[in-house]
């Protein structure tokens, strides 16, 4: 899912990229001890939603990231993306 997200992001398909990043985060969470990768995927989803002009989706995703992974570097800086 990460690769599909990156592909879509590079193709200018930000909304589709965000959806794949969310799917990647879901897979990482299901896999167990992948909190860094899950946090990175949620951060990338937030950025992609912002690039697509979907501020509400970006804010929801950012809040989820902070709730699930507050002690990660992504969790500490994600709210700057949605300001």
């Amino acid at each position: 899912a990460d690769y599909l997200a990156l592909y879509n992001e590079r193709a200018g398909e930000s909304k589709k990229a965000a959806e794949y990043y969310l799917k990647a985060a879901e897979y990482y969470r299901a896999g167990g001890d992948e909190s860094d990768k899950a946090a990175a995927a949620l951060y990338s989803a937030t950025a992609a939603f912002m690039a697509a002009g979907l501020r509400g989706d970006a804010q929801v995703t950012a809040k989820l990231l902070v709730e699930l992974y507050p002690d990660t570097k992504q969790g500490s800086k994600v709210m700057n993306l949605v300001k």
Side-chain angles (χ1 to χ4, degrees):
D2 260 340
Y3 296 111
L4 291 172
L6 187 57
Y7 173 82
N8 281 283
E9 192 171 25
R10 288 182 178 165
E13 297 287 336
S14 298
K15 182 180 179 197
K16 196 178 286 188
E19 292 167 357
Y20 279 115
Y21 281 126
L22 289 176
K23 189 56 77 176
E26 182 181 329
Y27 292 149
Y28 289 133
R29 281 183 51 76
D33 190 29
E34 297 284 352
S35 60
D36 287 340
K37 289 181 181 179
L42 287 172
Y43 185 88
S44 295
T46 302
F49 277 133
M50 287 299 289
L54 300 168
R55 185 184 259 325
D57 290 330
Q59 289 173 328
V60 169
T61 305
K63 287 178 185 174
L64 179 64
L65 171 53
V66 171
E67 180 182 314
L68 294 175
Y69 306 107
D71 298 328
T72 62
K73 64 182 178 184
Q74 295 89 352
S76 65
K77 66 181 184 175
V78 72
M79 295 312 282
N80 293 328
L81 284 179
V82 295
K83 285 185 178 178

